[in-house]
Amino acid sequence: MTLDVRLLGPLEVRVDGRAASFPRGNATTVLALLLDDPGRVIPMSGLVSGVYGDDFPLDPEAQIQNTVGVLRRQLGAARDRIETVGRAYRFRVDETELDTLRCKARERQARTLRREGENDAAAALLRDALAEWRGPALADLPGRAAGAIGRRLDEYRLTLLEQRIDADIDSGRAPAAVEELRQVLAVHDDRQRLVGLLMRALHACGRTAEALDAFAALKERLADALGADPNRELVDLHTAILRDQPGEPAAPEPAEPIAAAVPAMLPRTTRRFTGRETEIRALDRFLMDAGAEAGLAAVTGMGGVGKTALAVSWAHRVAHRFPDGQLYFNLRGFDPFAPGARPEDVLGEALAALGVPAARLPSGPDERAGLYRTILAQRRVLIVLDNARDAAHVRPLLTTAPGSFTIVTSRDRLTGLDMSEGAEIVPLGPLSKADSEALLARRLGPERAADDQAAVGRIAAACGRFPLALTLVGSWSAADPAITLDALADRLASTGNLLNVLTSGDRAADPRAVFDSSYQLLGERDALAFCLFALHPGPSLTPAALASLMGAPLPDARGALAALAEINLVDRVSVGRYGVHGLMRDYAAECFVDEVLEVERRAAALRMLEHYLFAAHRADPLAAHRFDPGTPAPGACAEKVADAAKWFAAEHDVLRGLLRTNAGFGADLRVWQLGWLLAERCLDAPDELLAVQTAALAAAERRGEAFEQAVSSGYLGIAHHGLGDAEAARSCAERAAVFAERDGRTWTRGFATYAQAAAAGRDREAATLRVRLASLPVAPRMP
């Protein structure tokens, strides 16, 4: 079977000499994405992003799988060239079977010939490479992904053209090169490499004045268009021509050779590093899977969770596998004390570490990136890029060197690196119970920890198993052994805000400062959304709940949650639900008090209460019989409840917490109504019924409504009976009867009679009365 694949022009695939036909659209886009990186694994996420962008269908991965099936069918005898690798695909193709690979092979051969002085032969090979183009690359394919690939391939054609003209000039064909360069520059007049070649060719022809004019014209164009100057290489060429008028440019002095320096830049690790075995195994696997390719992994998580500690510890663990050295750079993407490191400055540091003399450091970022990748191309180096702001921050620093490996850490989730660069993402959360206690034990000393294991467990739990908090507490305790672990555990458990205890003179180790550096990056909408997590009483919320808290449209809440999750200020705890770590909630509470006005806090609390009340009312089939809740507060967002049982289970802790809402008298009615809705769901859990109705009765008493006090007192009697307190059950049931008489309605009196029977343990009578109540209209007088 023969295969001939061509991207450099209209997409063309021939199997055994016959053209294979593919449906235009998603199929050709997937094919282009696979062939753009032949022989390499393309993750499913990269294909989904390339095909659909931000407009995903219902099940994008299934759609991609179907598309790959179509491609395989159309390839016929070559169907096995598309290989499935886990949740990814790879197009296996030989160098002779793909035009882009043939071009790159000829380019490599030409460079070898140029080093040997064989300029004519090199130019011939480059002409053969350029002849592969049959028109604009992938010009017949629709879509952004195919367009981007095509533009990059056509940019590569210009690079090959520059190399071929360079070889022609060195071969004595400068006059012909002048005319060709003028034609190319008519289209690409801002391409500095082409202008440099034109200057060389003109000078070689004795037309020095024209060469200088070409430089002056480019300088003027760059100043007008970009406010920039020509790059250093072009300026140096201009100077050389000026010094050697009218003959050949002065030969540059022999360049100082770049020494093969072996950098060892990893920072010190600590023997107290504990746990993370799952993540370490994942990094080991990613390194093994990369093999001879350039590997890339990213450790992401909230500030203070231990990303740097993991990356540095693992880097030391595998450093011996990289004989050409290890590079480490703190990019300061979330540094509270200094601006983020510029990629061009980091590249300068990297080149110096790799042995490039200061005098030979390029001035421009693109030139530095090119030299960086060139030097690394023949080396196996481990690169740690710590504390990146986002994917754009690290892209200029990524290498394609075979056998090298880059590990990035960031509070950003780096989904861009996952989608476009195929990065393996390692999300990092709090430590496990065992690992958090082991970390404390290492800091306290094994004997002291063993003497009071229960206290160690309480301290770890109070710190939320958060590495930064555990390290701080361990340091304090080790420095002051007179404080017992029990006393320390009591102090941590009793504090209303753990951040008031977890303070450090070193701001880099202070949780507030660490969280500040993320929070300060937020816009107004996202900052408000983050603050409002402090008001929400449950472990997680939905976008609709946050929309009600914000008093904003649902799309705004979804956008805010996406932004907060992207930098790990909140977590996606399950599909459609978001939560925050306990320490982060404490920090949000401080921001809430500092930055949200009291009147806005009360309004948000009322909207939140009404959001859940109306959702519970819709979810409870008996609720409509009991009362009409009226109209929700402005800004409260309605939430659809598809499965009532699942909804009540998911929101159980939230609904309980809402009964403690203190938004003023206007909230008391809603608190009581919520308590009434929850009562029937608590009949089999008397302790929970007692807590719910205690809060509901307090709200009813503040309102002074006899009906409401009758209902809550009756349910309290039932709760006390279930808990075995007959006296309290009788007392509450009697109070219910008193309030029922004061209210005077039939349903209220019937309910009090039912409550007295249930509180006295007359179950059969209570069941009969309950059935009768269900047929009676309630019609309570509620505003």
Side-chain angles (χ1 to χ4, degrees), residues 406-655:
T406 302
I407 181 169
V408 182
T409 76
S410 180
R411 299 183 198 181
D412 190 275
R413 293 184 185 273
L414 299 178
T415 51
L417 281 190
D418 180 7
M419 292 188 296
S420 63
E421 311 295 338
E424 303 286 359
I425 305 298
V426 181
L428 210 58
L431 290 165
S432 68
K433 180 178 183 297
D435 286 345
S436 60
E437 293 176 9
L439 176 59
L440 276 174
R442 283 196 170 190
R443 191 65 189 86
L444 299 171
E447 292 182 0
R448 187 180 180 197
D451 287 343
D452 201 344
Q453 291 182 348
V456 170
R458 291 171 59 209
I459 293 171
C463 292
R465 307 198 306 273
F466 189 62
L468 179 58
L470 293 166
T471 301
L472 277 174
V473 171
S475 296
W476 298 337
S477 185
D480 192 355
I483 299 177
T484 67
L485 297 183
D486 254 337
L488 180 58
D490 289 342
R491 181 186 177 193
L492 294 174
S494 62
T495 182
N497 181 350
L498 199 60
L499 294 176
N500 290 331
V501 180
L502 297 176
T503 58
S504 172
D506 179 3
R507 281 181 55 79
D510 187 291
R512 274 196 186 92
V514 170
F515 298 158
D516 271 342
S517 58
S518 293
Y519 179 73
Q520 296 304 324
L521 295 173
L522 299 177
E524 182 177 352
R525 179 199 69 179
D526 301 341
L528 173 62
F530 175 72
C531 290
L532 290 169
F533 268 85
L535 184 60
H536 189 265
S540 64
L541 54 67
T542 63
L546 181 61
S548 292
L549 277 163
M550 296 171 67
L554 184 57
D556 281 1
R558 287 190 174 127
L561 286 169
L564 294 172
E566 194 62 25
I567 60 172
N568 280 288
L569 281 175
V570 305
D571 299 314
R572 294 185 183 94
V573 296
S574 61
V575 177
R577 299 195 72 87
Y578 296 79
V580 292
H581 186 273
L583 274 175
M584 195 66 80
R585 184 182 289 275
D586 288 344
Y587 177 75
E590 293 184 349
C591 297
F592 182 63
V593 172
D594 291 343
E595 302 191 22
V596 182
L597 297 175
E598 174 66 22
V599 64
E600 295 174 353
R601 290 181 229 156
R602 294 167 72 91
L606 183 58
R607 287 194 302 268
M608 173 179 64
L609 181 56
E610 297 209 343
H611 170 88
Y612 284 102
L613 173 68
F614 277 76
H617 191 271
R618 286 190 295 271
D620 190 332
L622 299 178
H625 172 70
R626 296 179 195 168
F627 66 90
D628 178 3
T631 304
C637 175
E639 181 159 6
K640 296 179 180 178
V641 179
D643 186 315
K646 288 183 179 179
W647 186 86
F648 275 106
E651 305 294 359
H652 175 270
D653 292 341
V654 178
L655 297 173

Side-chain angles (χ1 to χ4, degrees), residues 181-432:
L181 283 164
R182 289 201 186 279
Q183 294 177 25
V184 178
L185 278 165
V187 180
H188 305 283
D189 64 349
D190 61 348
R191 197 171 177 91
Q192 298 192 49
R193 173 67 172 150
L194 288 172
V195 173
L197 290 171
L198 177 61
M199 292 168 63
R200 283 187 55 215
L202 287 167
H203 188 54
C205 294
R207 300 158 64 179
T208 301
E210 293 180 60
L212 298 175
D213 287 344
F215 177 84
L218 173 68
K219 185 175 182 179
E220 183 176 350
R221 289 195 300 272
L222 290 175
D224 290 343
L226 305 173
D229 292 321
N231 61 35
R232 180 171 176 176
E233 288 76 12
L234 207 59
V235 171
D236 290 345
L237 175 61
H238 178 258
T239 302
I241 292 175
L242 283 172
R243 289 175 177 172
D244 195 45
Q245 292 181 357
E248 293 290 325
E253 295 181 5
E256 179 185 350
I258 296 175
V262 180
M265 297 174 63
L266 294 180
R268 182 179 181 274
T269 189
T270 172
R271 63 183 179 83
R272 294 184 183 132
F273 179 80
T274 304
R276 304 301 192 191
E277 292 300 324
T278 299
E279 292 81 5
I280 288 172
R281 284 195 296 271
L283 289 170
D284 287 343
R285 185 174 70 254
F286 299 151
L287 176 59
M288 180 181 65
D289 291 346
E293 299 178 359
L296 176 61
V299 180
T300 66
M302 63 188 287
V305 81
K307 303 179 296 294
T308 298
L310 170 62
V312 171
S313 177
W314 180 80
H316 277 284
R317 186 171 179 267
V318 299
H320 66 280
R321 299 182 58 176
F322 298 90
D324 298 316
Q326 307 88 40
L327 297 169
Y328 170 89
F329 301 103
N330 181 359
L331 303 184
R332 302 194 301 275
F334 292 86
D335 194 312
F337 317 112
R342 299 189 310 164
E344 55 265 41
D345 294 337
V346 175
L347 286 167
E349 294 178 42
L351 291 170
L354 292 166
V356 178
R360 293 187 60 190
L361 280 179
S363 57
D366 292 341
E367 291 79 3
R368 287 188 176 189
L371 181 57
Y372 172 70
R373 293 188 178 114
T374 299
I375 292 173
L376 289 181
Q378 303 302 320
R379 304 191 191 185
R380 287 176 56 89
V381 176
L382 176 62
I383 304 161
V384 181
L385 302 176
D386 193 18
N387 196 10
R389 174 64 187 87
D390 51 28
H393 201 180
V394 299
R395 280 199 181 96
L397 308 173
L398 300 180
T399 176
T400 57
S404 289
F405 195 92
T406 302
I407 181 169
V408 182
T409 76
S410 180
R411 299 183 198 181
D412 190 275
R413 293 184 185 273
L414 299 178
T415 51
L417 281 190
D418 180 7
M419 292 188 296
S420 63
E421 311 295 338
E424 303 286 359
I425 305 298
V426 181
L428 210 58
L431 290 165
S432 68

